[in-house]
Amino acid sequence: MAKTITTACPCGKGDYATCCKPYHDGTSAPTAEALMRSRYSAYALGLMHYVHATWHASTRPPLTDFVHDAATKWLGLEVRKFVPGQDEATVEFVARSKSGGRAQRLHEISRFVREDGRWFYIDGVFPE
């Protein structure tokens, strides 16, 4: 019998193969929260093309701005609040990382919009 290898998803919600990987491979995230989790995982895994592609064209920086920082280790994600909507939603989260021996927290309330059945990140504010 073959052994099944599982790898924890960086977003903390389950096995990567069934959690964020399908979105990284092209399946549309069904909710803004799922998209936000998959974007966090993409940062953690260095999938900067995915981060770029899921950023709404109206606010998206150029692809050259998306550089994977291999020195940053992503430590965890906490989704604090998800406010769903038909075509707009918000997700409040705290992402923890470590870089250069220093722990960091990113607390953001992100706005998302759905166009043609796909969710996109618009922008965020930092409540702290």
Side-chain angles (χ1 to χ4, degrees):
M1 178 183 278
K3 181 178 178 180
T4 302
I5 298 172
T6 60
T7 304
C9 191
C11 84
K13 197 162 183 181
D15 179 56
Y16 176 66
T18 57
C19 188
C20 290
K21 187 177 187 315
Y23 310 134
H24 295 161
D25 289 344
T27 300
S28 294
T31 66
E33 179 186 1
L35 179 65
M36 191 282 308
R37 287 179 173 282
S38 70
R39 286 172 53 85
Y40 170 86
S41 293
Y43 275 105
L45 298 170
L47 304 174
M48 303 318 289
H49 279 74
Y50 179 82
V51 175
H52 183 261
T54 58
W55 202 307
H56 193 267
S58 67
T59 58
R60 181 188 305 140
L63 182 58
T64 54
D65 288 0
F66 292 83
V67 178
H68 175 62
D69 180 4
T72 299
K73 179 168 175 51
W74 293 93
L75 304 173
L77 174 67
E78 173 193 355
V79 174
R80 292 200 169 166
K81 187 175 185 181
F82 171 44
V83 180
Q86 185 67 27
D87 292 318
E88 294 181 5
T90 60
V91 180
E92 179 179 0
F93 68 91
V94 175
R96 294 179 300 108
S97 65
K98 191 172 190 177
S99 181
R102 293 187 51 148
Q104 300 173 8
R105 291 174 77 247
L106 172 66
H107 183 185
E108 181 173 317
I109 300 172
S110 299
R111 293 188 315 139
F112 295 86
V113 65
R114 185 168 61 175
E115 291 183 353
D116 299 323
R118 295 187 79 90
W119 285 100
F120 294 93
Y121 171 80
I122 295 282
D123 59 17
V125 296
F126 308 105
E128 297 178 316

